[in-house]
Amino acid sequence: MEVGMLPISASKRGKLLAAGYTTLDAIARASASHLARDIEVSDSEALEILNLAAKTGVSDRPNGTQTTVVGGGQTAWDMLNDEKFSSYITTSCVDLDNILGGGIKCKDVTEIGGVPGIGKTQIGIQLAVNVQIPQGYGGLGGKAIYIDTEGSFMVERVLQIAEACIEDMAEYSNHFHKDLQACEVKMHPNNILENIFYFRVCSYTEQIALINYLDKFVMENKEVKIIIVDSVTFHFRQDFEDMALRTRLLSEMALKFMKLAKKFCLAVVMLNQVTTKFIEGSFQLTLALGDSWSHSCTNRIILFWNGNERHAFIDKSPSLKSASAPYSVTNRGIRNSTSSCKRIKMM
């Protein structure tokens, strides 16, 4: 249950959100003294908030009981069968899709990080377009949420990739399924743009507030099959003196994304920046937000340069083996690398 349910002033709600108290459970776990310090109120005001949180939580339960109901039990056999029918979103790069087992997997939280200019935003935009590929063409026919924290989203680029995607579908139709032309006619670049819900956030408090709102938004827009955050890092790398607060905020945000992915059977893709870390006597590049953050996602993909060629490496995954694949950023979007194309032609 969210902080917005508390009968308190808007300013106190804002302070709670800014301090990382995004749910009633998070408030309930705090002591009055810690809560007072974190949101800069008196001990008596903090105690009043704790009491209100407890009452609100109880009143929302059936018969006002305080019994915690644990749901979501599932057998391992059911889980195995679910895996067989998993949905994937293509990246438009065959080599990358292959090492990912078919593309970006729904129900998973996937982190993609790399240096500036490596193509993180390009992959994010490509996925926002590709999630809309109709089921008749092997897609999901879904919609996308794009959360932009850096201002790097370019609608002109989205249109360019959308036009290329429709051209690819037309080519596919001509070669394999001539009876799908009716479906092809319905797809237009403007439709693709209309199916991308764009949110621009300018602070970490806005980012947290938006993530708290996503459950309600996706409930009202159930066609959403992917949430892209570009980047998850930006607002958490500045203006943070209290690292414990930052860790708590990030942990709760990651937990919410995991719940959204499972609840609505959608993919969450978090784009991340890089930083330097002192390892074995030298500074090396690593993904931002620290080691603890690396456990907040299901799959972690690191993008890097190998000479003049872009590569993607699966750094962490419970179901995928470590592997790398080349990819290219072209005028048409993400595609196979030139070296891969040459190998295909030789075959």
Side-chain angles (χ1 to χ4, degrees):
M1 288 177 288
E2 307 300 336
V3 170
M5 297 175 61
L6 283 176
I8 58 176
S9 66
S11 62
K12 286 181 180 176
R13 284 199 204 99
K15 287 181 178 180
L16 285 168
L17 290 171
Y21 296 100
T22 58
T23 65
L24 299 184
D25 287 339
I27 296 173
R29 290 194 296 267
S31 65
S33 59
H34 279 92
L35 184 63
R37 182 197 63 196
D38 289 344
I39 66 173
E40 299 177 348
V41 297
S42 66
D43 287 350
S44 60
E45 288 177 300
L47 186 58
E48 182 184 0
I49 291 173
L50 286 171
N51 290 333
L52 287 170
K55 290 177 181 177
T56 304
V58 170
S59 64
D60 193 64
R61 299 186 181 109
N63 302 321
T65 62
Q66 297 189 43
T67 304
T68 300
V69 179
V70 179
Q74 191 179 24
T75 68
W77 177 252
D78 290 336
M79 294 172 66
L80 180 62
N81 284 326
D82 286 347
E83 287 292 317
K84 293 178 181 178
F85 298 100
S86 296
S87 300
Y88 295 86
I89 304 167
T90 178
T91 63
S92 290
C93 172
V94 175
D95 290 337
L96 184 51
D97 282 350
N98 286 340
I99 66 170
L100 291 173
I104 299 298
K105 187 179 177 183
C106 291
K107 289 191 176 182
D108 280 1
V109 177
T110 302
E111 179 185 26
I112 302 176
V115 297
I118 196 68
K120 299 185 295 295
T121 297
Q122 301 298 314
I123 291 176
I125 292 173
Q126 186 72 62
L127 292 170
V129 170
N130 287 357
V131 74
Q132 302 180 49
I133 295 174
Q135 294 180 1
Y137 292 89
L140 301 182
K143 296 182 180 181
I145 292 174
Y146 202 103
I147 302 172
D148 184 8
T149 68
E150 301 185 21
S152 54
F153 185 86
M154 300 290 291
V155 70
E156 294 84 1
R157 179 59 171 155
V158 181
L159 179 62
Q160 192 176 31
I161 292 176
E163 290 172 342
C165 180
I166 291 173
E167 290 173 6
D168 288 344
M169 285 191 289
E171 184 177 347
Y172 175 89
S173 179
N174 291 334
H175 279 84
F176 300 102
H177 298 287
K178 296 185 182 299
D179 58 323
L180 291 177
Q181 288 182 358
C183 183
E184 172 194 341
V185 173
K186 295 179 182 178
M187 291 294 293
H188 298 282
N190 289 350
N191 301 135
I192 290 178
L193 268 63
E194 288 174 355
N195 289 332
I196 300 175
F197 301 108
Y198 173 79
F199 296 90
R200 177 75 168 100
V201 295
C202 300
S203 68
Y204 77 88
T205 52
E206 284 186 17
Q207 188 168 332
I208 293 166
L210 174 58
I211 291 165
N212 289 334
Y213 170 66
L214 285 180
D215 190 290
K216 181 177 183 292
F217 185 86
V218 178
M219 186 71 74
E220 296 171 351
N221 298 274
K222 293 185 178 179
E223 302 92 345
V224 170
K225 289 301 175 185
I226 190 169
I227 298 172
I228 301 147
V229 188
D230 183 12
S231 69
V232 70
T233 326
F234 187 70
H235 295 306
F236 289 90
R237 296 188 70 181
Q238 48 195 335
D239 301 329
F240 264 99
E241 296 179 1
D242 188 344
M243 299 308 291
L245 168 61
R246 189 182 87 153
T247 300
R248 185 169 73 239
L249 289 170
L250 288 170
S251 297
E252 291 195 6
M253 181 173 65
L255 182 60
K256 286 182 182 294
F257 278 135
M258 290 178 187
K259 288 181 177 178
L260 284 167
K262 298 292 184 185
K263 180 178 180 179
F264 296 105
C265 192
L266 54 80
V268 175
V269 175
M270 303 185 295
L271 306 182
N272 196 355
Q273 302 171 346
V274 295
T275 186
T276 54
K277 184 178 181 181
F278 193 73
I279 303 173
E280 298 179 354
S282 63
F283 286 98
Q284 299 180 24
L285 286 176
T286 184
L287 297 193
L289 300 180
D291 293 333
S292 61
W293 174 254
S294 66
H295 304 294
S296 301
C297 57
T298 315
N299 308 301
R300 179 176 245 202
I301 302 168
I302 297 177
L303 310 179
F304 64 95
W305 289 100
N306 183 10
N308 293 324
E309 192 172 57
R310 293 176 170 90
H311 279 251
F313 172 71
I314 299 176
D315 181 59
K316 172 211 164 186
S317 175
S319 58
L320 302 170
K321 65 179 182 180
S322 294
S324 63
Y327 68 95
S328 293
V329 178
T330 72
N331 290 337
R332 299 174 64 81
I334 304 299
R335 293 293 186 271
N336 295 333
S337 70
T338 52
S339 60
S340 295
C341 293
K342 289 178 181 177
R343 288 199 302 270
I344 292 172
K345 288 179 180 180
M346 290 175 65
M347 294 171 64

